[in-house]
Amino acid sequence: MHAVTLRQPDDPDEFRFHARRLLAAAIDPADVIWNADGSETLFSLSAAADSASGGERVVLVPRAFADLADAVVCHRDAGRWALLYRALWRIGHGERRLMEQAADPLVHRLHQMAAAVRRDQHRMTAFVRFRLLPGSDDSGGGAGAHYIAWHEPRHRVLRRASSFFIDRFASMRFSILTPDLTLHWDRAAARFTPGLRREDAVSADAVEDWWRRYYAAVFNPARVNAGLMSSHMPKQYWRNLPEAAVIAELVRTAGTRTGRMLDVAEVGDRDRAGQPDQT
Amino acid sequence: MREALPVMDKLAILADAAKYDASCASSGGSKRHSRDGSGIGSSTGNGICHSYTPDGRCVSLLKVLLTNSCVFDCAYCINRRSSNVRRTRFTVEEVVSLTLAFYRRNYIEGLFLSSGIIRSPDYTMESLVRVAQTLREVHGFRGYIHLKTIPDADAELIRQAGRYADRLSINIEMPTSAGLRQFAPEKNLPSIHRTMRDLSGRIAEAKSEKGAPDFAPAGQSTQIIVGADSSRDSAILDTASALYDKFRLKRIYFSAFSPIPDSNAILPARPAPLVRENRLYQADWLMRFYGFAAAEIVAGTADGMLDQDIDPKLAWALRHRDRFPVDVNRAAREDLLRVPGLGVKSVNQILRSRVHARLRLADLGRLAVSVRRLRPFVVAADYSPAGLLDRADLRPMVAPRPRQLPLFE
């Protein structure tokens, strides 16, 4: 039995480093225990695997696997390392084109995990809400302004999503806080520090009143469909979305607002009956 | 003169006035970023829905009118001349600073700016262009901009609009020219078509010439209101199909007629069912991504109306049972695309996978959206539907079980 302890829970390079050594030493996936999150281990990587680092057996990893692994390592499923290594093992043992077999149960499972990570990454780019740090200067998007966001992703996606925020907001100083990891951008460089708590973020922003007013105004009460909304915007994200505070009220009053429009329309029909067309 | 409205009240009025325009896309723009620290914003080419309102619609852009005053009197429109809504108008600076304040907080992908027609087409178009120009040139804004195009506006204004905007749109609103005459007598269909044709030429030109300045890289779109006039689905799909062909529209939005405050008497008193809108979107999808022609989708339907209980692809398959079953291990791509329960992605995966191994029904279970719907229509390595296709009760076997309808967009 071989145990591998990874220092970081979401680093594809670290996984590749260990996986390559295990593969070179021909260590069967069934004989490996993967420990992430820096937990203490009973076993350490065996001497056999250590000594095999010279790489007698070189497995060329297909690009499709590398892309998939980059996403899968961010998944919270503790079994992710073992699944990835099993796939790599099969690729190295006669199934070079395994990644093209989307119907294979293992490939299918990995695709599902990668899809969940990508979906969550997309949701981070959608649902992060910045708040201006009180006391920092917002005049003309001024250099002193510092924007803070608190976000709770399902998977460890902040590292993957970071380039999106930097590409978009490079001229702003900002920090994105999550329970796992924090990203700081100082308008020149990115820095990752350990996760923080919600209380460490900012609790309000004056622009949120404007945003809620806008959100309420674009809602069409005649089409109310809260289930459809929740399927796109799961409730677990609501507590960090400033606009979610008005959802209950909008849903509650939708029926009366629509009824009023319909009543007026019908009264209008009766009043105008027999009159020539107004247009 | 009334007292000036607080800007937040203007926002509420001008957003409410814009919400009947269903378009919210923020995709297809040219790829941009502001990594160099100048300006602000990016466009990845993929849209992002930053929120959803309780009607299930996405909020991607700050969607507002510059003004809700309008010289037109289109019956279905909340902003028509004869409506008694409160009128107001944003200044250029107000729209610009709202857009930037929302954008910096990551509420939106950008701006969708429209306007009532005031004074003249040129005056209105110029006001819209000025907002986009200020965002782009003064603030280095690289987010998404969608501008409404005013038919018959000056060519130079259109050129500028296309340079600053990712997408341009003109709404025809009524599916037929008769409907337009009845409901929007001041709108002029030939002039709308002329402007769409002009945009289509400019968009194609900018795409084909290397180094040519951008012109609306995300293309043009339009909207058709469903259920305000008496047009059948067949007429709506014919119109949509012609618009895609003639003017290479990127998208057509269907908007089920929905009651508006201070409604006009010639409108129906009741809203059009949302399921009708959903079925039209599905049919539109079939035309754009599945190789169906409009005529095929509506041929054999009752009175040219799509079946509201099942989606148009399943309905087509049930009417064409002789085209099935399709062998998933041999069939051509275009035949696989017609199988109910197989989406474009599933078809691509089937084509890739079957090179390596003959696919069995369990494999399809992992690749398809719904095996239940698929079963009667396919042959797999270990499976054949036997007499399923001939059964009189096939429809209830494959029809979705009753539940709340999801709008698939």
Side-chain angles (χ1 to χ4, degrees):
Chain A
M1 194 55 73
H2 302 275
V4 179
T5 299
L6 299 154
R7 280 172 302 130
Q8 206 178 291
D10 60 348
D11 184 357
D13 293 331
E14 194 184 358
F15 167 74
R16 264 192 284 277
F17 169 78
H18 290 292
R20 251 190 231 121
R21 284 159 42 117
L22 291 166
L23 208 54
I27 294 173
D28 190 280
D31 297 330
V32 186
I33 295 173
W34 296 85
N35 299 293
D37 317 320
S39 52
E40 285 297 317
T41 58
L42 296 173
F43 313 92
S44 63
L45 195 60
S46 75
D50 271 339
S51 65
S53 55
E56 298 84 353
R57 182 192 163 85
V58 179
V59 174
L60 289 175
V61 177
R63 175 67 193 265
F65 177 81
D67 288 347
L68 195 67
D70 281 353
V72 171
V73 298
C74 301
H75 202 282
R76 288 202 198 270
D77 187 332
R80 63 195 178 284
W81 311 109
L83 292 169
L84 284 170
Y85 182 56
R86 187 171 293 280
L88 199 58
W89 174 268
R90 286 175 58 188
I91 289 169
H93 288 80
E95 294 185 75
R96 283 282 311 150
R97 306 180 71 180
L98 177 67
M99 299 319 293
E100 292 167 29
Q101 298 181 51
D104 178 275
L106 175 60
V107 177
H108 177 65
R109 171 104 188 261
L110 289 172
H111 273 298
Q112 281 185 316
M113 291 169 78
V117 167
R118 292 191 186 113
R119 195 179 313 120
D120 199 45
Q121 178 186 344
H122 181 80
R123 280 179 173 153
M124 176 178 263
T125 64
F127 298 152
V128 153
R129 297 285 183 265
F130 285 116
R131 287 170 164 162
L132 187 65
L133 183 67
S136 70
D137 172 24
D138 188 29
S139 54
H146 189 172
Y147 291 87
I148 314 281
W150 166 253
H151 184 72
E152 294 166 281
R154 283 184 188 170
H155 302 290
R156 295 181 181 88
V157 293
L158 179 57
R159 228 179 271 276
R160 280 172 69 82
S162 60
S163 62
F164 168 86
F165 291 103
I166 296 167
D167 281 353
R168 177 161 291 193
F169 300 117
S171 58
M172 287 171 17
R173 174 186 304 274
F174 67 83
S175 302
I176 299 176
L177 284 54
T178 77
D180 312 300
L181 190 70
T182 304
L183 163 66
H184 302 282
W185 173 256
D186 65 0
R187 302 172 22 117
R191 195 160 48 90
F192 288 97
T193 58
L196 288 167
R197 297 161 308 154
R198 169 199 297 273
E199 305 83 81
D200 299 318
V202 177
S203 59
D205 182 305
V207 175
E208 289 175 358
D209 284 339
W210 294 74
W211 173 236
R212 278 188 285 266
R213 192 79 190 272
Y214 173 73
Y215 178 84
V218 291
F219 164 58
N220 183 349
R223 298 177 60 115
V224 64
N225 186 344
L228 183 58
M229 166 184 63
S230 306
S231 72
H232 290 301
M233 191 167 79
K235 283 190 177 153
Q236 71 164 106
Y237 295 98
W238 290 14
R239 60 195 194 128
N240 297 319
L241 295 171
E243 66 271 29
V246 299
I247 289 175
E249 174 72 4
L250 291 177
V251 172
R252 195 179 58 75
T253 54
T256 8
R257 289 173 65 195
T258 311
R260 224 178 295 135
M261 284 192 277
L262 292 173
D263 289 347
V264 170
E266 279 172 5
V267 169
D269 285 348
R270 279 200 301 279
D271 288 352
R272 291 167 195 155
Q275 291 179 15
D277 227 3
Q278 294 207 316
T279 48
Chain B
M1 258 323 248
R2 286 215 224 174
E3 213 177 303
L5 272 177
V7 182
M8 207 189 281
D9 293 337
K10 289 193 195 179
L11 173 64
I13 292 171
L14 294 169
D16 183 83
K19 75 181 169 202
Y20 298 95
D21 201 317
S23 166
C24 75
S26 53
S27 55
S30 55
K31 289 191 178 161
R32 309 179 288 260
H33 61 80
S34 49
R35 188 91 190 215
D36 61 2
S38 76
I40 183 167
S42 65
S43 162
T44 63
N46 300 315
I48 296 177
C49 295
H50 283 274
S51 194
Y52 290 84
T53 40
D55 45 23
R57 282 184 162 177
C58 134
V59 183
S60 183
L61 303 168
L62 170 61
K63 177 161 43 176
V64 289
L65 299 192
L66 198 53
T67 173
N68 62 341
S69 298
C70 192
V71 298
F72 282 13
D73 206 40
C74 309
Y76 49 78
C77 182
I78 184 176
N79 307 309
R80 69 184 185 283
R81 193 176 62 231
S82 60
S83 161
N84 69 1
V85 292
R86 173 131 200 209
R87 310 287 171 169
T88 185
R89 183 183 178 168
F90 275 133
T91 65
V92 170
E93 284 315 318
E94 283 163 354
V95 183
V96 167
S97 54
L98 270 172
T99 305
L100 292 172
F102 281 9
Y103 195 84
R104 281 194 196 104
R105 288 161 181 79
N106 204 42
Y107 302 162
I108 52 171
E109 287 296 288
L111 174 68
F112 175 5
L113 188 63
S114 181
S115 178
I117 310 279
I118 38 171
R119 295 192 216 177
S120 69
D122 281 355
Y123 179 83
T124 309
M125 192 74 233
E126 188 182 359
S127 310
L128 296 176
V129 166
R130 218 142 39 85
V131 173
Q133 180 181 25
T134 308
L135 278 168
R136 291 281 192 243
E137 292 185 349
V138 178
H139 299 278
F141 180 69
R142 295 181 201 148
Y144 193 92
I145 297 181
H146 176 163
L147 289 184
K148 190 59 68 187
T149 313
I150 313 298
D152 282 340
D154 178 73
E156 172 58 19
L157 290 171
I158 301 274
R159 190 189 62 76
Q160 289 182 32
R163 190 171 132 219
Y164 299 126
D166 292 279
R167 169 164 290 181
L168 298 173
S169 64
I170 310 170
N171 289 354
I172 65 166
E173 308 288 15
M174 287 295 126
T176 63
S177 49
L180 209 56
R181 270 195 304 280
Q182 187 191 359
F183 289 88
E186 288 112 331
K187 281 205 184 202
N188 175 333
L189 193 60
S191 130
I192 291 175
H193 284 171
R194 200 159 52 236
T195 309
M196 284 180 169
R197 185 183 309 281
D198 174 45
L199 294 183
S200 159
R202 290 170 188 257
I203 292 165
E205 194 183 355
K207 277 215 165 37
S208 64
E209 280 176 34
K210 231 182 146 170
D214 266 358
F215 189 91
Q220 62 170 325
S221 62
T222 194
Q223 168 169 289
I224 299 176
I225 298 176
V226 175
D229 70 349
S230 57
S231 298
R232 325 295 298 170
D233 291 341
S234 51
I236 294 171
L237 290 175
D238 276 347
T239 298
S241 172
L243 289 171
Y244 282 128
D245 289 348
K246 275 196 246 170
F247 309 125
R248 282 166 288 186
L249 295 195
K250 196 84 175 181
R251 279 297 298 275
I252 295 174
Y253 292 90
F254 302 100
S255 184
F257 166 71
S258 155
I260 50 173
D262 189 33
S263 182
N264 182 304
I266 67 169
L267 289 171
R270 292 280 148 191
L274 295 183
V275 63
R276 187 175 170 203
E277 174 187 295
N278 188 38
R279 295 295 178 225
L280 284 166
Y281 272 120
Q282 289 174 324
D284 173 88
W285 227 256
L286 292 181
M287 297 197 292
R288 292 192 295 141
F289 304 117
Y290 289 79
F292 283 81
E296 284 182 286
I297 298 169
V298 293
T301 57
D303 302 332
M305 293 299 280
L306 297 173
D307 196 324
Q308 296 199 347
D309 297 330
I310 56 173
D311 70 82
K313 189 173 165 189
L314 181 57
W316 180 86
L318 289 173
R319 290 197 306 268
H320 295 86
R321 298 186 190 192
D322 55 311
R323 301 272 299 255
F324 299 97
V326 162
D327 184 342
V328 294
N329 286 300
R330 295 160 175 274
R333 184 168 199 277
E334 56 267 31
D335 294 326
L336 289 171
L337 282 173
R338 294 198 171 221
V339 176
L342 290 185
V344 172
K345 199 176 153 206
S346 310
V347 167
N348 291 339
Q349 288 186 331
I350 287 172
L351 292 172
R352 262 200 308 276
S353 310
R354 74 184 187 185
V355 177
H356 304 282
R358 304 234 309 135
L359 298 173
R360 304 157 74 89
L361 194 63
D363 294 324
L364 292 180
R366 286 184 285 269
L367 297 180
V369 182
S370 157
V371 180
R372 183 173 156 266
R373 208 176 333 157
L374 185 87
R375 284 181 90 106
F377 301 103
V378 294
V379 168
D382 61 342
Y383 172 80
S384 137
L388 271 182
L389 276 169
D390 302 322
R391 286 175 63 150
D393 61 347
L394 178 58
R395 179 179 163 125
M397 290 172 62
V398 288
R401 300 181 178 98
R403 63 193 166 104
Q404 196 176 18
L405 179 86
L407 200 71
F408 69 65
E409 275 209 297

